[in-house]
Amino acid sequence: MEITYRRFERTEGELLVDFLSGETWPFHASPAIEPDQVRGRLADGVYEGEGSRTFWVLADGSTVGLVRLMDLGDDTPLLDLRIRSGWRGRGIGRRSLEWATRYLFEEFPRVRRIEGTTRRDNAAMRRTFLRCGYVKEAHYRDGWPGAGGAVHDAVGYAVLRGDWEAGTVTAVAWDDEPPRP
């Protein structure tokens, strides 16, 4: 399967509305997105603006996902990855994260690290981060709002430019807390 990436254009606003509102995103804060929410975010420049870029993920020419890159003026951008439900479990998420990582480090010389956060129960995305050289750096208890008032733990991952360039992974020193007083 050939996976390609194409930058979203503002003229494709209604395609984005259909894509986001036509799917369920179980591990996002809002699993169901209303079309007017997407239109409002489009008007606010959330998907394409000074600090953000969005790309369509295409598998053999079909639109199967979306990669949104945020905080591009910072040295630590964030990313959002969404794959249509019918295409999950085929390695598209991993390939898209690898592509986004390479894109950010190659296109933005100031970028030192890239961050992504997911829900604790999103095992597939957590494995994807690890397979792509990202390291777990944070665990936020009750840090992710969910549907119906539910609250979930959130887990933060990041990759460092030096590790990416060298093909290495630098572990976090988790046990460095000072003794309790």
Side-chain angles (χ1 to χ4, degrees), residues 1-6 12 15-16 18-20 22-25 28 54-68 80-97:
M1 165 177 24
E2 180 185 16
I3 306 293
T4 57
Y5 305 89
R6 185 177 61 75
E12 299 175 303
L15 292 174
L16 185 64
D18 292 343
F19 176 85
L20 290 171
E23 285 283 328
T24 300
W25 310 102
H28 285 76
T54 299
F55 295 85
W56 295 111
V57 179
L58 306 168
D60 295 332
S62 297
T63 303
V64 301
L66 192 75
V67 175
R68 186 166 61 105
D80 178 26
L81 174 61
R82 296 172 189 253
I83 305 297
R84 286 186 193 265
S85 59
W87 290 86
R88 295 176 193 149
R90 301 183 192 193
I92 297 169
R94 177 188 51 79
R95 290 169 65 181
S96 296
L97 183 58

Side-chain angles (χ1 to χ4, degrees), residues 94-171:
R94 177 188 51 79
R95 290 169 65 181
S96 296
L97 183 58
E98 289 171 345
W99 176 85
T101 302
R102 183 175 54 255
Y103 177 84
L104 285 166
F105 283 138
E106 289 178 354
E107 292 294 317
F108 298 91
R110 283 189 48 201
V111 171
R112 292 182 305 112
R113 50 186 277 119
I114 303 164
E115 295 179 354
T117 305
T118 192
R119 277 186 12 192
R120 180 179 170 267
D121 58 339
N122 190 349
M125 190 65 217
R126 294 181 70 184
R127 282 191 302 271
T128 299
F129 276 128
L130 294 174
R131 285 183 182 130
C132 292
Y134 283 66
V135 174
K136 178 182 173 183
E137 293 187 342
H139 193 113
Y140 303 103
R141 297 172 299 153
D142 287 350
W144 191 290
V151 182
H152 305 272
D153 287 4
V155 186
Y157 292 84
V159 62
L160 304 176
R161 176 185 287 278
D163 281 354
W164 178 77
E165 290 173 340
T168 59
V169 174
T170 303

